[in-house]
Amino acid sequence: KGPIFFRQIRLGKNSQQYSLIKFRTMVQNAEQKSGPIWTKENDSRITSIGKWLRRFYLDEIPQLINVLKGEMSIIGPRPERPFFVKKLIREYPYYLDRLSIKPGMTGFAQINQSYDRNINDVRKKLEFDCFYIEHLSFMLDLKILMKTVFVMVLGKGR
């Protein structure tokens, strides 16, 4: 029950806020009682259809609209919610470096590590994102894109 699409405010390049769009994979109002929290393994808020969509990363497809609007790129660091960015900047001051380029639907961190479940996962992904930003190239983007397709086809998502 509920809407097919899910919108959430994220921070893009230069900390610009925009409304990210995805297929909804969780129960409606999933964070109403808890407030913003990271998704856990076997999270009870994820619907059965949502599990399948996430496994193949199909929930991300509507973000092509964000790409067409110029808010995102196909490849880049994944966008984060302002709530978490504020917390992460305190822990990792260089976290803002991620906001020097457009966020992406997929990225170097996503093909090298699973979803964030805690602050240590965020630190590891931040290292991957910084590596990507320092080594931006067409060949690296091509490798990320190819590995993303491979991960999607194999259903190695969350």
Side-chain angles (χ1 to χ4, degrees):
K1 294 181 181 180
I4 294 172
F5 295 107
F6 172 75
R7 293 180 181 269
Q8 192 173 64
I9 298 299
R10 299 289 176 104
L11 291 183
K13 184 177 180 179
N14 300 322
S15 299
Q16 290 285 17
Q17 290 190 1
Y18 70 97
S19 181
L20 177 122
I21 184 169
K22 298 172 80 166
F23 286 123
R24 186 173 58 85
T25 60
M26 292 189 172
V27 296
Q28 201 167 359
N29 301 315
E31 294 181 333
Q32 189 170 0
K33 293 179 183 174
S34 65
I37 58 174
W38 280 303
T39 306
K40 297 175 253 173
E41 192 154 356
N42 299 317
D43 199 313
S44 62
R45 301 172 299 160
I46 301 173
T47 66
S48 55
I49 292 172
K51 286 179 188 174
W52 185 83
L53 287 171
R54 285 172 169 242
R55 180 178 174 200
F56 294 97
Y57 291 90
L58 298 174
D59 58 319
E60 311 287 352
I61 298 298
Q63 290 170 45
L64 286 170
I65 294 168
N66 296 111
V67 172
L68 292 173
K69 289 170 69 177
E71 299 162 330
M72 291 180 71
S73 179
I74 297 291
I75 300 167
R78 287 293 298 155
E80 188 54 85
R81 295 189 271 176
F83 174 85
F84 289 119
V85 171
K86 285 178 189 173
K87 287 184 163 222
L88 294 167
I89 290 170
R90 283 187 228 125
E91 187 78 23
Y92 308 110
Y94 58 98
Y95 189 84
L96 282 177
D97 293 351
R98 300 173 78 252
L99 301 174
S100 65
I101 64 173
K102 284 185 185 179
M105 291 178 63
T106 187
F108 192 64
Q110 286 63 45
I111 63 167
N112 285 296
Q113 184 179 322
S114 188
Y115 289 88
D116 299 341
R117 296 192 189 349
N118 56 52
I119 197 78
N120 287 328
D121 289 347
V122 172
R123 182 188 51 75
K124 290 175 191 167
K125 280 197 172 171
L126 181 55
E127 290 171 6
F128 286 124
D129 288 337
C130 289
F131 176 89
Y132 174 76
I133 292 167
E134 290 173 18
H135 297 89
L136 278 172
S137 71
F138 176 75
M139 288 307 294
L140 181 57
D141 282 357
L142 191 58
K143 287 178 186 177
I144 293 168
L145 192 57
M146 288 171 44
K147 190 163 181 185
T148 297
V149 170
F150 182 72
V151 167
M152 289 176 69
V153 169
L154 290 180
K156 296 286 186 184
R158 54 208 155 164

